[in-house]
Amino acid sequence: MEKNLNGSGLSWILLRMNILPIILLTLVITTFSAVQFAGSMNEEVKNGLVSLCDSVITMYDTMYEGDYRAVEQDGAIYMLKGDHQFNDDFAFIDSVKEKTNIDITLFYQDTRVITTIRDKEGKRVVGTRANPSVVQKVLEGDHETFFSSTDIEGDKYFSYYAPLHAEDGSCIGMIFFGRPAAEVDALVHKSVSPIIIFGLITMLLVCFITMRFSRHLVESIRKIEGFLESSSGGNLHAKLNEEVVKRKDELGELGRHVVKMQRALRELVEQDMLTGLHNRRSGEKMLRQVQDSYEKKGIPFCVVIGDIDHFKHVNDTYGHECGDVVLMEVSSLFKRHMHGKGFAVRWGGEEFLLVYEDMHMDAAKSCLQKLLDDIRNTQVAYEDQSGISITMTFGIAEGSTEKLEHIIRDADSKLYEGKNSGRNRIVS
């Protein structure tokens, strides 16, 4: 029944139907959330750079009146704002760097005049030139620009550049605010990691719950399958697991229908359609089981063959429908009488077989006498008849290890002995 190894069993089908979509959905949601969050973090870094840029430029305007300009002296170029010279004045930008951890650079044209950025040896990278793409967009294009990856002395930066203007409005230089990309990536990774971990934990939890549910589902289906296999193999007394029958879903409903089907099939195969008693085939099977219990455990039993007296006269006088009513009435008496004592079988026509379980001859004969008294006192009502009296003759034999045919033949011979000696009696 189980085909998990080759991936074609029901378990694998359910896993593919449930687990794979969950994994894919979780990965998509987690990736989308991480990308969105990373984008938000980058946007936040960008906004921080822009805001700091605006603040520093405003502070420069507050501290130093006048426009940005350049003065050449002794072969060197000096960057000024009004009368203030920026060259070698690192105090302000260093204090901002210390508080914000953001690097600042002031350019004259494309050359760094002052900066907080240092090279591998710890020296400020003053006098170095800006990236050509930055020069093109900011200096030549006269447009403030954000770069997600700018190469500065071998290091990648998240950077924001804004142009600086001279008195005539021309772009005289740039101001840079940047943060090492490695720091931003570490910050993003630190922020995104909980999202990824939460997504994976959620995925594992959902997969675990789904797998448990699928396993219980498959187990229930297999129990139904095993029940059907057993019933179709002839075991019409097989029991379906109670957990399946008690389920409140479609599988439980299916299980209950299967049990009803088994019961209907058992009635069809094992019961006599008219009387509701066990038919001969079923009775023989049950009698073999009783004899097995006697042989293995020593549980005694007695076998009775009974026949309705003058039944042909009933059919000839009142009709076969009346005969059926008599059979059903007698069978109803058998059912009530044999409850807790054994079982009754319609052996054929008006002949019946009774099996008393866990009884020796004396006890079985005493019970049988009570049954015969009840039959004698019964009046069968049929249409306008005032009441039809019936009697029966019984032959009883005690169970043994002999062949069942011999035991039944013994009871049957006693029945015919009773028939020949006047009927309406028990012969043992």
Side-chain angles (χ1 to χ4, degrees):
M1 291 191 296
E2 191 168 352
K3 300 179 182 179
N4 287 350
L5 292 178
N6 58 22
S8 60
L10 184 59
S11 298
W12 276 104
I13 294 174
L14 288 174
L15 285 177
R16 288 196 295 268
M17 290 176 60
N18 296 303
I19 302 300
L20 291 181
I22 291 173
I23 294 175
L24 291 175
L25 182 61
T26 303
L27 291 176
V28 169
I29 292 176
T30 303
T31 302
F32 178 79
S33 300
V35 170
Q36 288 292 105
F37 194 83
S40 299
M41 289 295 298
N42 291 341
E43 188 66 22
E44 184 177 344
V45 171
K46 173 186 175 182
N47 293 335
L49 295 178
V50 173
S51 178
L52 184 60
C53 175
D54 292 340
S55 298
V56 169
I57 290 176
T58 300
M59 292 182 70
Y60 274 153
D61 289 339
T62 301
M63 292 187 298
Y64 313 119
E65 294 183 359
D67 298 310
Y68 292 95
R69 60 195 180 92
V71 175
E72 184 175 349
Q73 185 177 350
D74 299 329
I77 298 177
Y78 296 91
M79 183 75 171
L80 297 90
K81 187 175 191 305
D83 294 330
H84 177 75
Q85 177 181 301
F86 286 108
N87 298 55
D88 299 324
D89 183 7
F90 301 105
F92 177 69
I93 60 175
D94 283 346
S95 66
V96 175
K97 167 68 181 292
E98 184 179 353
K99 294 176 182 179
T100 63
N101 200 33
I102 292 177
D103 285 298
I104 304 173
T105 300
L106 196 67
F107 290 86
Y108 168 68
Q109 295 296 327
D110 62 349
T111 303
R112 292 178 177 87
V113 176
I114 56 173
T115 184
T116 58
I117 299 175
R118 299 175 181 270
D119 59 19
K120 304 298 182 184
E121 298 175 356
K123 297 180 180 179
R124 296 181 191 269
V125 292
V126 175
T128 58
R129 297 185 179 278
N131 190 290
S133 60
V134 174
V135 173
Q136 181 182 8
K137 292 184 178 181
V138 181
L139 195 62
E140 298 175 0
D142 194 13
H143 193 275
E144 54 192 32
T145 306
F146 173 78
F147 296 91
S148 60
S149 180
T150 305
D151 191 316
I152 302 176
E153 299 300 314
D155 292 325
K156 300 293 183 182
Y157 276 79
F158 274 69
S159 56
Y160 179 75
Y161 292 82
L164 300 176
H165 298 96
E167 184 178 5
D168 60 0
S170 62
C171 185
I172 192 174
M174 304 178 293
I175 189 167
F176 155 89
F177 294 83
R179 194 166 185 178
E183 290 184 11
V184 178
D185 290 342
L187 180 62
V188 171
H189 178 74
K190 182 179 179 181
S191 302
V192 169
S193 292
I195 297 176
I196 296 174
I197 294 172
F198 176 76
L200 292 176
I201 292 175
T202 303
M203 179 186 70
L204 292 175
L205 181 62
V206 173
C207 288
F208 174 74
I209 294 173
T210 302
M211 289 178 68
R212 281 181 61 88
F213 173 78
S214 298
R215 189 174 70 251
H216 288 312
L217 192 67
V218 172
E219 286 176 356
S220 296
I221 293 174
R222 285 181 180 148
K223 287 172 182 176
I224 294 175
E225 181 184 8
F227 174 75
L228 287 172
E229 184 178 354
S230 180
S231 298
S232 64
N235 183 11
L236 297 179
H237 293 274
K239 300 290 185 181
L240 180 59
N241 188 279
E242 282 295 319
E243 292 181 3
V244 178
V245 177
K246 292 179 179 179
R247 288 180 71 108
K248 303 299 183 182
D249 55 11
E250 288 82 354
L251 275 181
E253 189 69 19
L254 175 62
R256 290 186 286 274
H257 283 306
V258 168
V259 171
K260 290 179 182 178
M261 182 187 70
Q262 183 211 46
R263 187 181 301 121
L265 185 61
R266 185 170 62 240
E267 291 175 358
L268 182 65
V269 173
E270 297 183 350
Q271 288 187 1
D272 178 68
M273 296 298 292
L274 176 65
T275 63
L277 299 178
H278 295 284
N279 59 27
R280 184 162 182 157
R281 176 180 176 275
S282 174
E284 289 176 343
K285 181 179 178 181
M286 295 175 68
L287 184 53
R288 281 194 294 271
Q289 293 172 350
V290 170
Q291 190 179 47
D292 286 343
S293 296
Y294 172 74
E295 293 175 351
K296 294 176 181 177
K297 302 177 182 178
I299 300 174
F301 69 100
C302 292
V303 176
V304 177
I305 295 290
D307 186 271
I308 300 175
D309 297 331
H310 305 295
F311 185 73
K312 184 176 183 302
H313 175 72
V314 173
N315 282 334
D316 293 342
T317 303
Y318 304 105
H320 288 282
E321 290 185 0
C322 179
D324 290 345
V325 173
V326 171
L327 290 172
M328 288 188 288
E329 184 68 30
V330 171
S331 298
S332 180
L333 287 172
F334 288 161
K335 288 177 185 177
R336 291 196 296 271
H337 172 77
M338 297 302 293
H339 182 70
K341 301 181 183 73
F343 56 90
V345 180
R346 187 181 181 189
W347 203 241
E350 70 273 19
E351 195 172 53
F352 297 86
L353 179 138
L354 308 179
V355 178
Y356 288 97
E357 299 180 59
D358 199 13
M359 286 189 191
H360 290 289
M361 176 62 78
D362 290 342
K365 189 174 179 180
S366 176
C367 289
L368 187 58
Q369 185 60 56
K370 293 179 182 179
L371 173 62
L372 181 57
D373 292 340
D374 288 342
I375 294 172
R376 289 168 177 167
N377 295 326
T378 297
Q379 296 288 314
V380 178
Y382 178 71
E383 294 183 352
D384 57 350
Q385 302 298 322
S386 58
I388 301 172
S389 298
I390 54 174
T391 60
M392 289 189 68
T393 302
F394 295 99
I396 181 170
E398 191 158 21
S400 66
T401 57
E402 291 188 31
K403 290 184 177 181
L404 287 177
E405 292 83 353
H406 296 167
I407 298 173
I408 294 171
R409 188 182 304 141
D410 185 21
D412 198 47
S413 65
K414 290 180 172 60
L415 167 64
Y416 278 97
E417 182 181 337
K419 288 280 190 181
N420 294 329
S421 60
R423 297 183 173 85
N424 192 20
R425 65 190 63 203
I426 300 170
V427 179
S428 63

